[in-house]
Amino acid sequence: MNEFNEYFKSAFTVDNVIFGFDEGDLKVLLINRGEEPYKSKWALPGYFVYPNEDLDAAAKRVLDELTGLRNVYLEQVRTFGAVNRHPFGRVITVAYFSLIKISHYNIQPSSIAKKAKWHSISKVADLAFDHKEILEACFHRLKWLVRSRPVGFELLPPKFTLTELQHLYEAILETELDKRNFRKKILSMNLLIDLDETQEGVAHRPARLYKFDREKYEQFLAEGFSFELKESKKKEKKSRSKKVRANIAWKD
Amino acid sequence: MNEFNEYFKSAFTVDNVIFGFDEGDLKVLLINRGEEPYKSKWALPGYFVYPNEDLDAAAKRVLDELTGLRNVYLEQVRTFGAVNRHPFGRVITVAYFSLIKISHYNIQPSSIAKKAKWHSISKVADLAFDHKEILEACFHRLKWLVRSRPVGFELLPPKFTLTELQHLYEAILETELDKRNFRKKILSMNLLIDLDETQEGVAHRPARLYKFDREKYEQFLAEGFSFELKESKKKEKKSRSKKVRANIAWKD
DNA sequence: TCAAAAGTGTTCTTATTACACCCATGG
DNA sequence: CCATGGGTGTAATAAGAACACTTTTGA
């Protein structure tokens, strides 16, 4: 491996965009840097990947040290590798994002955690390194994800109202949604369990509480999204060689 | 940067899944490795990223050296970083895929290119390193991409028939599509220019030839997919504060 | 009794699916 | 004249979008 020695002089980090949702607002957990470079600038939590550590494990570690949370939604997004993005040398970074329930988040005793603070996604100014770009890429991915899978629940407390859920979608998608259509759609998926409880102590008609039916969702996934559940077009022509339907969407 | 020295001992590579389409079949360009490790196994084309080279530039270089092609569709997919994925040390790899027109591909004089061969995507057996996994991730991404954007044209020659286009979609999506519905949909997008030419020398009714209207597509993108083009619901209530519509798809 | 948010259905429009026959060419 | 793939339309169904009033609570 002699001829390749020159390539073994670089490093890589993970950076984690930790999303949370509170007060109707989508938030991201940022660290105020205590040291150079970019001292006292806000930055994404991240660290070098240890020599004997898988990438995903590094992302989990960073998250755990900061929030104390483990089994949360975590996904790799993209790797950023501009030549001069880090002043210490050649460092590329693998960006991850995770979705956590802010109510479950407890500030950790680690020194790094004391520097952490939630920021409204819409108010984040510039960040250290290329972290603003990373944040944007992760937000974009979340937007897409939330349309294709019901991951939104990862950000809500275990019991929530439909309005809270709608506000979450609105915050992520940066749109307004029609209340009736939203409810119709969300309920028609049968992934919510009506807890038969209501809010208490609110100065208006209390809302029903729901929880996410994770079991049904897993089952749903396992069946490969159960396409072709209908299967009752005609009286089943001698098990016709499946003329498949697949549509082309051209949306984002 | 003394305390971080131990982290600056790793390397990273790019690996490129180069897709092509020929004879109704989706193909990938693989290299037969001439050296250890995995000597004489098939592998994805890839190489170490040079110390002063951006990631995207490295992916372009690998592609160019192999195919002589430049301005082609190229996209980063994901980074693979299991601890022991490379026998030389800690090497993570950033996976890219590109879409090229096989008809434009000319074998390059480089020694590496002489070892290259197109393989039908459906017949690829195991590959060197974790390349099979990388290939699958890229194929999965392509499947998704082709439903959300008309990138299929990148794989076809400049002039093509609707049936060729349909076959391309079928190969990527691994389904059959209904001919009439496919044509209706594709033509309704107005992204095809009817060249008013037909095939020659075929033993059946010759098909019309089309080309992709790239200009219209760019315009389309620039207008942000021109949502809300309709805008003629009622007689425009005093420029109502846009009650936005955004739908939630729950598909893949 | 007021303010504030919860809750609830129907109509219209658009998109998707299913489906079968005639046409133009070369051999 | 036959084999091969090219080309075309319509009806049924499903999904999405628009839209407004009544209900329940606490202050």
Side-chain angles (χ1 to χ4, degrees):
Chain A
M1 77 173 258
N2 16 18
E3 62 185 303
F4 299 113
N5 278 343
E6 60 174 315
Y7 297 117
F8 283 82
K9 290 176 179 164
S10 39
F12 39 89
T13 57
V14 289
D15 283 307
N16 200 334
V17 176
I18 301 167
F19 289 110
F21 182 70
D22 199 20
E23 298 162 5
D25 221 15
L26 186 65
K27 308 230 149 118
V28 58
L29 193 57
L30 299 176
I31 302 286
N32 196 268
R33 285 181 63 81
E35 54 195 2
E36 294 295 344
Y38 297 99
K39 184 164 178 176
S40 84
K41 278 249 176 198
W42 292 98
L44 296 173
Y47 202 71
F48 288 94
V49 178
Y50 298 153
N52 62 345
E53 184 181 44
D54 286 346
L55 286 178
D56 290 1
K60 277 184 191 141
R61 167 173 56 85
V62 164
L63 180 68
D64 185 18
E65 283 173 0
L66 189 55
T67 66
L69 297 174
R70 284 163 206 232
N71 299 309
V72 300
Y73 191 93
L74 187 138
E75 175 172 317
Q76 192 194 112
V77 173
R78 184 142 57 90
T79 295
F80 293 79
V83 172
N84 293 310
R85 61 174 296 285
H86 201 294
F88 284 3
R90 189 67 199 273
V91 182
I92 67 175
T93 194
V94 185
Y96 283 77
F97 77 86
S98 31
L99 305 178
I100 75 170
K101 305 183 202 303
I102 290 192
S103 55
H104 288 189
Y105 161 73
N106 286 300
I107 192 137
Q108 293 301 104
S110 65
S111 66
I112 189 77
K114 288 183 198 124
K115 299 270 198 170
K117 199 165 155 268
W118 291 101
H119 293 242
S120 279
I121 200 96
S122 55
K123 287 178 200 144
V124 175
D126 59 326
L127 298 176
F129 305 100
D130 48 2
H131 287 188
K132 188 72 190 287
E133 194 190 345
I134 295 175
L135 171 59
E136 274 158 13
C138 290
F139 184 34
H140 190 266
R141 178 75 139 255
L142 174 60
K143 247 180 188 158
W144 170 74
L145 187 66
V146 101
R147 280 165 173 268
S148 34
R149 267 170 228 203
V151 291
F153 307 103
E154 309 288 352
L155 291 160
L156 289 176
K159 300 178 182 187
F160 51 84
T161 70
L162 293 181
T163 301
E164 283 164 357
L165 185 58
Q166 181 177 342
H167 287 338
L168 170 63
Y169 274 87
E170 291 177 334
I172 295 176
L173 297 174
E174 296 181 296
T175 56
E176 278 175 65
L177 297 166
D178 179 89
K179 182 162 60 161
R180 281 179 286 191
N181 293 339
F182 179 80
R183 285 165 185 242
K184 203 187 316 170
K185 175 131 201 172
I186 223 78
L187 290 172
S188 74
M189 294 172 51
N190 287 316
L191 289 175
L192 293 190
I193 297 172
D194 184 338
L195 290 169
D196 221 359
E197 294 175 54
T198 51
Q199 286 178 308
E200 278 172 30
V202 287
H204 54 77
R205 177 171 174 179
R208 299 186 78 80
L209 293 171
Y210 293 83
K211 69 169 187 172
F212 179 53
D213 190 342
R214 195 172 296 270
E215 211 170 292
K216 199 174 278 175
Y217 175 58
E218 304 288 358
Q219 184 188 327
F220 203 62
L221 281 183
E223 289 164 7
F225 280 98
S226 68
F227 32 69
E228 305 314 316
L229 243 179
K230 11 196 169 181
E231 191 61 81
S232 55
K233 200 90 280 173
K234 274 180 184 170
K235 54 274 178 180
E236 193 66 14
K237 286 191 216 167
K238 44 191 169 180
S239 76
R240 54 172 174 187
S241 54
K242 50 196 164 187
K243 188 128 193 192
V244 187
R245 341 77 178 291
N247 64 330
I248 303 164
W250 309 113
K251 286 182 202 159
D252 211 359
Chain B
M1 76 172 262
N2 16 19
E3 62 184 307
F4 299 115
N5 278 342
E6 60 173 317
Y7 298 117
F8 283 82
K9 290 176 180 165
S10 39
F12 41 89
T13 57
V14 291
D15 283 306
N16 200 333
V17 176
I18 301 167
F19 289 111
F21 181 70
D22 199 20
E23 298 160 6
D25 222 14
L26 187 65
K27 309 228 148 116
V28 59
L29 193 56
L30 299 176
I31 302 286
N32 196 269
R33 286 182 63 81
E35 54 195 1
E36 294 296 346
Y38 298 100
K39 184 165 179 175
S40 83
K41 279 249 178 199
W42 291 99
L44 295 173
Y47 202 71
F48 288 94
V49 178
Y50 298 151
N52 61 346
E53 185 183 42
D54 286 347
L55 286 178
D56 290 0
K60 278 184 190 142
R61 167 173 56 84
V62 164
L63 181 69
D64 185 18
E65 282 172 1
L66 189 56
T67 65
L69 296 173
R70 285 163 204 227
N71 298 308
V72 299
Y73 191 94
L74 186 137
E75 176 172 317
Q76 191 194 113
V77 174
R78 183 143 55 93
T79 296
F80 293 79
V83 171
N84 293 311
R85 60 174 296 285
H86 200 294
F88 284 3
R90 189 69 200 274
V91 182
I92 66 174
T93 193
V94 186
Y96 283 78
F97 77 86
S98 31
L99 305 177
I100 74 169
K101 305 181 201 305
I102 290 191
S103 56
H104 288 188
Y105 160 73
N106 286 299
I107 191 136
Q108 292 303 104
S110 65
S111 66
I112 189 78
K114 289 185 197 120
K115 299 269 198 171
K117 199 163 155 268
W118 290 101
H119 292 242
S120 278
I121 200 95
S122 55
K123 287 180 201 144
V124 175
D126 60 323
L127 299 175
F129 304 100
D130 50 1
H131 287 187
K132 189 72 192 288
E133 193 191 345
I134 295 175
L135 171 59
E136 274 158 12
C138 290
F139 183 34
H140 189 265
R141 179 73 141 256
L142 174 60
K143 247 181 187 156
W144 170 75
L145 187 65
V146 101
R147 281 166 172 266
S148 36
R149 267 172 227 198
V151 291
F153 306 102
E154 310 287 353
L155 290 160
L156 289 175
K159 300 178 181 187
F160 51 85
T161 70
L162 293 182
T163 301
E164 284 164 355
L165 185 59
Q166 183 177 339
H167 287 339
L168 169 63
Y169 273 87
E170 290 177 335
I172 295 175
L173 297 174
E174 297 183 295
T175 55
E176 279 175 66
L177 299 166
D178 180 271
K179 183 161 59 160
R180 281 180 287 190
N181 293 339
F182 179 79
R183 284 165 185 242
K184 204 190 316 173
K185 177 130 199 173
I186 222 77
L187 290 173
S188 75
M189 295 172 51
N190 287 318
L191 289 175
L192 293 189
I193 297 172
D194 184 339
L195 290 169
D196 220 0
E197 292 174 57
T198 51
Q199 285 178 308
E200 278 172 32
V202 286
H204 55 76
R205 177 172 173 181
R208 299 187 78 81
L209 293 171
Y210 293 83
K211 69 171 187 171
F212 178 53
D213 191 342
R214 194 172 296 269
E215 211 170 291
K216 200 173 277 176
Y217 176 58
E218 304 288 357
Q219 184 187 327
F220 204 61
L221 282 182
E223 289 166 7
F225 281 98
S226 68
F227 32 70
E228 305 312 317
L229 243 180
K230 10 197 169 180
E231 192 61 79
S232 55
K233 199 91 281 174
K234 276 182 178 169
K235 54 274 180 181
E236 191 68 12
K237 286 190 215 166
K238 43 190 172 178
S239 76
R240 53 168 174 194
S241 54
K242 50 197 166 188
K243 189 128 194 190
V244 188
R245 344 73 179 295
N247 62 330
I248 304 165
W250 309 113
K251 286 183 204 161
D252 211 358

